[in-house]
Amino acid sequence: TTHFLPHPAPAPSSRGWATPRLVALTLCLLLITWPAGADTYSDAMRLKAQAEQEQANGRLDVALKKFIGAEQLFAQCKGAETEQSLCLYYMCISYFNQRDLNFMKKPMERLAQLAQRWPANKFIQYDYLSVLAAYESCVYEEKPSKELRKQFMAHFKQAVGWQTKMSVGEWKRRQINPMFNLMNIATLYDLRYDPPMVDSMQAYINKALEVDGLPWGDKDDHIEGRISAYDLQAWVLLYQKRYHEAEAKEQEVMDMIEGVEKERGNAVLTEKGEAYAFFVELYKAMGKPEKAMEYLELKNENDRKRFDIEKNTAIRNIEAQYESKRKDERIAALHQWNIGLTVVVVLLILLLAGITTTLIYRRRLREQKLYEEALAAELENSARHSSLRLLADQLGIRGIDIDEAHRLLGQATKPLTVVDQKYILCFLNGEDVRHIARRFNVEPASVYTVRYRIKKKFPNSTKLPL
């Protein structure tokens, strides 16, 4: 093989040794600096993966700490601004789901700096505008104003605009649900406007259905999105008093639910209950009380079925917890008894046996009395809010104020189902949508649908944790 040089080879020089030495020095510097940067990036990626896993498991506090650490490491790595942005995005969403807007401000400010520094980065712009719009929407709930509503709606639309600049493969890698983002805007035109902006709702429903035709998610993701879109479209038709079209559209929703019922079983009970609730409202508006009552009975039966399944599961969990608690109590009691026995032996050496035995007996009587008083107080407290406390216990929720929850539920303008109460308890507990979806074995889109229905049962002035 013949190799050709573009220029004649240079003549040997007395300084020819400098070039190899310079190359060697450069290589040494690269070898010294490269592993450190690579290690930092690898550590950041590993920490980010751990944070995402903790978030999926519902351990939000642990996940938040790991996201903070990962973001700080990414900030030290050149070319890692997109990963840094995603960490800040998750941090903001975590604070947002807990309605902690003060703590949300700091990562949002860092995200704003990234967005200003990288104006053409579609991922950073999408992250920032999504977070900013969510923050403004939350502020709007406390201090409504037309200007603020106009502002967060514009930011939501800008975020969707950056979403359209991404490829389907990028949607998959970033776990973006484009159909949900479009449906979110359609829902806001319903919730944040009185009367609802029906034309705008329909426009974004159409866009969501167009996106449905792209391969951005698995089959279940598309079906869930379609169910949500058709359900909201049925409400649009109901608002327009096109009752027969609304009836046909919601029937399509029922057909889709029944189509996946064989595979998913009881997992579709939530969607079924929401469809029944729609038919109740529809037939009331159509002046068909018999049909409304028929679907109300179906809805109640569906709710009872869901409650029975969840109740049995909860009872089994409670029984397991009770047995575990009893074992712990027996171990603790045995441990206390051993300590007491040791004390008795020592006292028998130092004091008279009769005095020692009397003291121990009186001590045990006092402990028994305190235990009985504590048990009686606990039973009395449980009786006051038995229904809500039972639901909280079934869900494994311990950290919320039952009195405050009871006061909040009392503000509803329409009857709340048992399912509604369970979702409200979960939101009061600070759980995000994905955690709630896993808890009830449904898709995230179903949780958003239920949250939407719950909000419609409260006055607009009610400060809901949704």
Side-chain angles (χ1 to χ4, degrees):
T1 304
T2 305
H3 298 277
F4 296 93
L5 294 175
H7 299 285
S13 169
S14 61
R15 296 186 297 173
W17 60 270
T19 300
R21 181 169 291 186
L22 181 61
V23 172
L25 180 60
T26 303
L27 289 175
C28 288
L29 290 174
L30 287 174
L31 289 173
I32 292 172
T33 57
W34 170 254
D39 288 345
T40 301
Y41 183 80
S42 298
D43 291 342
M45 289 296 291
R46 183 166 52 253
L47 203 56
K48 174 175 168 289
Q50 293 173 359
E52 291 173 347
Q53 184 61 44
E54 295 291 352
Q55 188 179 55
N57 293 334
R59 301 178 61 186
L60 300 182
D61 293 340
V62 178
L64 191 58
K65 292 179 181 178
K66 291 184 180 293
F67 275 128
I68 292 173
E71 186 271 332
Q72 292 173 349
L73 291 176
F74 280 130
Q76 302 172 24
C77 302
K78 186 177 181 180
E81 59 275 357
T82 299
E83 289 83 358
Q84 182 186 359
S85 172
L86 188 58
C87 289
L88 290 168
Y89 172 83
Y90 282 134
M91 290 160 59
C92 290
I93 292 302
S94 180
Y95 287 127
F96 174 80
N97 290 334
Q98 300 174 49
R99 289 301 188 269
D100 198 338
L101 299 186
N102 289 330
F103 279 96
M104 183 180 175
K105 288 180 181 178
K106 186 175 181 179
M108 190 166 66
E109 288 173 358
R110 290 176 63 82
L111 196 52
Q113 293 170 0
L114 275 181
Q116 186 176 6
R117 185 179 175 187
W118 304 94
N121 188 308
K122 54 192 172 186
F123 303 111
I124 295 176
Q125 296 300 322
Y126 170 83
D127 292 341
Y128 172 60
L129 290 167
S130 299
V131 166
L132 179 61
Y135 175 85
E136 292 169 340
S137 177
C138 194
V139 173
Y140 176 86
E141 292 179 1
E142 299 178 0
K143 297 179 180 179
S145 71
K146 291 184 178 179
E147 185 61 30
L148 185 57
R149 182 180 65 187
K150 180 180 179 182
Q151 193 169 312
F152 71 70
M153 289 297 289
H155 288 148
F156 270 126
K157 292 177 181 178
Q158 289 171 13
V160 169
W162 284 103
Q163 169 187 292
T164 60
K165 297 178 184 291
M166 302 178 195
S167 67
V168 175
E170 289 169 336
W171 288 345
K172 289 182 179 180
R173 287 193 294 273
R174 295 275 293 189
Q175 296 182 343
I176 292 175
N177 187 327
M179 199 172 185
F180 160 73
N181 290 331
L182 292 165
M183 286 301 302
N184 187 36
I185 297 178
T187 303
L188 287 172
Y189 274 120
D190 184 12
L191 291 178
R192 295 290 183 261
Y193 291 83
D194 189 15
M197 303 286 287
V198 177
D199 292 341
S200 297
M201 289 171 63
Q202 186 62 59
Y204 277 92
I205 291 172
N206 292 340
K207 291 180 180 181
L209 292 174
E210 290 174 4
V211 172
D212 181 34
L214 301 176
W216 46 264
D218 58 29
K219 179 181 177 182
D220 288 341
D221 291 333
H222 285 267
I223 292 176
E224 286 294 334
R226 219 170 296 138
I227 288 174
S228 297
Y230 284 13
D231 180 70
L232 191 58
Q233 193 170 43
W235 281 98
V236 169
L237 294 169
L238 178 59
Y239 292 149
Q240 295 173 334
K241 298 183 179 181
R242 296 160 61 182
Y243 299 134
H244 294 293
E245 294 177 62
E247 182 180 26
K249 183 57 65 177
E250 193 66 23
Q251 187 57 51
E252 289 186 61
V253 174
M254 284 296 300
D255 292 341
M256 284 189 289
I257 293 173
E258 291 172 357
V260 297
E261 190 170 9
K262 291 182 180 179
E263 298 178 1
R264 299 176 55 193
N266 294 324
V268 299
L269 289 177
T270 299
E271 291 90 340
K272 222 172 190 180
E274 292 300 321
Y276 289 149
F278 173 85
F279 281 120
V280 172
E281 296 298 324
L282 173 67
Y283 289 126
K284 282 182 181 178
M286 294 177 70
K288 296 181 178 181
E290 297 84 2
K291 293 283 287 184
M293 285 299 298
E294 176 185 341
Y295 276 95
L296 182 59
E297 291 175 1
L298 289 172
K299 179 181 178 301
N300 291 337
E301 180 61 29
N302 185 79
D303 292 343
R304 280 193 294 270
K305 185 177 180 181
R306 278 205 61 185
F307 179 75
D308 288 341
I309 293 170
E310 294 166 2
K311 180 182 68 176
N312 292 334
T313 303
I315 289 174
R316 287 194 296 271
N317 292 336
I318 291 172
E319 288 174 349
Q321 293 172 4
Y322 177 71
E323 288 300 323
S324 177
K325 184 177 180 181
R326 287 190 61 186
K327 290 178 181 178
D328 292 340
E329 289 175 349
R330 286 197 292 268
I331 293 172
L334 181 60
H335 180 64
Q336 291 294 329
W337 173 259
N338 291 334
I339 294 175
L341 184 60
T342 303
V343 173
V344 169
V345 172
V346 174
L347 290 178
L348 282 173
I349 298 173
L350 301 176
L351 302 172
L352 296 174
I355 297 175
T356 303
T357 304
T358 302
L359 290 174
I360 294 175
Y361 179 71
R362 289 180 178 178
R363 181 182 175 184
R364 289 181 63 86
L365 284 179
R366 287 197 301 271
E367 290 177 349
Q368 182 65 24
K369 183 178 180 181
L370 289 173
Y371 173 79
E372 292 175 353
E373 290 176 353
L375 182 60
E378 183 179 355
L379 291 173
E380 181 181 355
N381 185 53
S382 298
R384 285 199 297 266
H385 299 318
S386 59
S387 60
L388 274 182
R389 192 172 298 281
L390 175 61
L391 291 178
D393 289 342
Q394 291 172 354
L395 295 169
I397 294 174
R398 296 289 187 273
I400 65 172
D401 188 342
I402 296 298
D403 292 331
E404 179 62 20
H406 187 269
R407 184 195 65 77
L408 178 64
L409 295 178
Q411 299 181 31
T413 58
K414 294 182 180 180
L416 295 171
T417 65
V418 174
V419 175
D420 294 338
Q421 296 179 40
K422 288 185 178 182
Y423 273 83
I424 292 175
L425 287 173
C426 290
F427 281 114
L428 282 171
N429 195 40
E431 298 177 11
D432 62 8
V433 170
R434 290 186 178 274
H435 187 198
I436 296 173
R438 288 192 301 274
R439 176 191 283 281
F440 293 115
N441 195 26
V442 299
E443 296 298 329
S446 300
V447 179
Y448 285 105
T449 301
V450 174
R451 184 177 68 176
Y452 166 71
R453 297 288 176 261
I454 291 174
K455 286 186 176 182
K456 292 176 69 68
K457 296 182 180 181
F458 287 85
N460 292 334
S461 60
T462 304
K463 296 181 179 179
L464 294 170
L466 308 180

